[in-house]
Amino acid sequence: MAYYEPTGTGGDGALLTGVVEDLDGCLVVQGDDIDGEEPYVPVFATNDSTAREIRQGTTVNLGGGAPRVFAGDWAYPDACPAAGPYWVVAQPE
C-alpha cells in the first residue's frame, strides 16, 4: 500500500470506483471509469484506517484525485511503478 503524510485539507472532487487487484505485489484499482490503459495505485493518508481493510478483490469507491506531480512526503512499495499513475485518496474527516 502507498501512503502520504497528510497536511492541510485534502479535496475529494473526484471518485475512483473499481476493484482492487494485485499486480506483481502492487495493489491497484481497475475499473471501467478509469481513463487510460493503466490502473491507478491508490495512495492513502497515514491516518486513514480504511487502507488496512483493502484487499485484492475488494470493490472500492475512493474520493480524491490524480495529481500530475505528487508533492509531499509519501512512500510506495518497490513493486509499484514510480511514475504511477497514482490516485491520492482524500483524507479522512
Side-chain angles (χ1 to χ4, degrees), residues 51-62:
R52 288 173 260 180
E53 300 168 11
I54 303 292
R55 303 280 185 267
Q56 182 173 342
T58 303
T59 299
V60 294
N61 295 302
L62 304 173

Side-chain angles (χ1 to χ4, degrees), residues 1-5 42-46 48 51-52 70 73-76:
M1 198 63 65
Y3 291 96
Y4 68 93
E5 190 61 44
V43 184
F44 292 89
T46 54
D48 189 343
R52 288 173 260 180
F70 200 100
D73 190 14
W74 67 300
Y76 60 92

Side-chain angles (χ1 to χ4, degrees), residues 3-90:
Y3 291 96
Y4 68 93
E5 190 61 44
T7 58
T9 58
D12 62 353
L15 183 66
L16 176 65
T17 300
V19 177
V20 176
E21 298 293 335
D22 185 336
L23 293 182
D24 300 322
C26 181
L27 291 180
V28 299
V29 176
Q30 296 196 26
D32 294 335
D33 67 334
I34 297 174
D35 292 332
E37 297 178 16
E38 295 185 71
Y40 283 102
V41 177
V43 184
F44 292 89
T46 54
N47 63 344
D48 189 343
S49 62
T50 59
R52 288 173 260 180
E53 300 168 11
I54 303 292
R55 303 280 185 267
Q56 182 173 342
T58 303
T59 299
V60 294
N61 295 302
L62 304 173
R68 290 189 187 138
V69 175
F70 200 100
D73 190 14
W74 67 300
Y76 60 92
D78 291 338
C80 294
Y86 287 92
W87 184 266
V88 179
V89 179

